[in-house]
Amino acid sequence: MTGPAALMRAYFETITDLLARIEAEEAANIQAAAALVADHAARDRLIYVYGPGGHSNLAAQEVFFRAGGLVNVSAVLDEGTLLSGGALRSMAMERTPGYGRLVVEDNRIGADDLLILVNAYGINAALIDAALTAGERGATVVGVSSRVHAGSTAPDHPARHPSGKNLHDLVDVHVDTKVPVGDAVLEIDGIAERVGAISTFANAYALNCLMAAAIALLAERGAKPDIWRSGNAPGGDEANAVFLHRFRGRVRWL
């Protein structure tokens, strides 16, 4: 498989097959997570989303300050694992035991809070420490990660938390993104490594489905959730000004 058209078709089919599996197999878990989000939004609570680890940080940004998204979402954009601080630094920090604990404590996530943790592989030290710490502090935790990737990673892999635990074993509700081992999915003749990562699509689809389902639940209850409008759409700045007045100062990275 070497031609652009064939690669595009193979990539498209692999992505859509994965998203179809999430739709078919994770609807109940997404609905359970959506109910938690709706409950917190109904009480005007923040919904924290943290994606500790390289590109998994994109998941938190995907549903934060996003057109059509809940205003209550507060992304945890800690510099430690953001690629903008350096790719190798990001990888080192996500593998540092205790780091995730510091992030949760620094953001004062605790009793009556909801934390959504998103990570492609569901194993790294910062992620596991964040899950453990949030649970210890009384928060409800939703996990979004790949069970097969976590289950296929050796217990002594350097990325793993010292406990060897997986995210899906620690959370109140888990959504399985089913990302295959290695993330990349395309094979090209003459190239040893696979190319074309897929986890960002899986994370974004799962999270946006979760948020849309939460908004639908709120509507069923007769509530009118706060939803961002694109600032580039007519009336966007005016519509969002009401939310900025209420949430600036509450949402750390707004």
Side-chain angles (χ1 to χ4, degrees):
M1 185 196 310
T2 56
L7 285 169
M8 289 173 66
R9 172 54 55 179
Y11 196 33
F12 173 79
E13 290 178 350
T14 304
I15 292 167
T16 53
D17 286 349
L18 180 67
L19 301 189
R21 284 191 62 204
I22 295 172
E23 178 199 18
E25 300 171 18
E26 296 301 310
N29 292 326
I30 287 173
Q31 189 72 3
L36 294 172
V37 170
D39 289 344
H40 278 71
R43 293 187 285 119
D44 198 31
R45 303 280 299 182
L46 298 181
I47 294 98
Y48 295 92
V49 186
Y50 182 31
H55 294 90
S56 293
N57 281 286
L58 295 173
Q61 297 176 55
E62 173 66 26
V63 292
F64 173 58
F65 194 54
R66 192 64 185 267
L70 281 171
V71 176
N72 298 69
V73 169
S74 178
V76 177
L77 303 178
D78 183 83
E79 287 292 335
T81 63
L82 287 177
L83 291 171
S84 56
L88 294 178
R89 180 180 185 274
S90 166
M91 186 167 67
M93 294 307 295
E94 74 180 47
R95 295 180 173 188
T96 301
Y99 187 78
R101 175 175 292 277
L102 293 175
V103 173
V104 169
E105 291 176 346
D106 183 55
N107 283 272
R108 298 175 183 169
I109 297 169
D112 298 324
D113 285 327
L114 175 62
L115 172 63
I116 301 174
L117 288 170
V118 191
N119 187 268
Y121 315 137
I123 63 164
N124 77 43
L127 173 75
I128 301 304
D129 270 327
L132 290 170
T133 305
E136 291 167 5
R137 291 168 63 89
T140 300
V141 185
V142 171
V144 179
S145 63
S146 171
R147 281 181 177 266
V148 68
H149 212 303
S152 302
T153 305
D156 60 349
H157 192 282
R160 276 199 176 276
H161 187 267
S163 69
K165 293 183 182 296
N166 301 310
L167 180 65
H168 60 258
D169 297 321
L170 300 173
V171 297
D172 297 286
V173 177
H174 183 258
V175 177
D176 182 5
T177 56
K178 307 173 195 302
V179 172
V181 176
D183 199 350
V185 294
L186 294 177
E187 294 182 353
I188 299 177
D189 295 341
I191 303 297
E193 295 293 334
R194 290 185 177 186
V195 302
I198 200 170
S199 59
T200 301
F201 291 98
N203 289 342
Y205 178 68
L207 282 172
N208 278 298
C209 285
L210 193 166
M211 294 299 168
I215 291 169
L217 284 172
L218 288 165
E220 288 175 6
R221 300 175 187 177
K224 292 186 178 180
D226 297 329
I227 299 174
W228 292 114
R229 187 184 302 180
S230 170
N232 296 312
D237 288 345
E238 292 79 6
N240 293 336
V242 176
F243 306 138
L244 292 173
H245 177 72
R246 286 176 46 215
F247 284 87
R248 203 165 188 176
R250 289 180 62 195
V251 176
R252 185 169 182 175
W253 278 275
L254 190 58

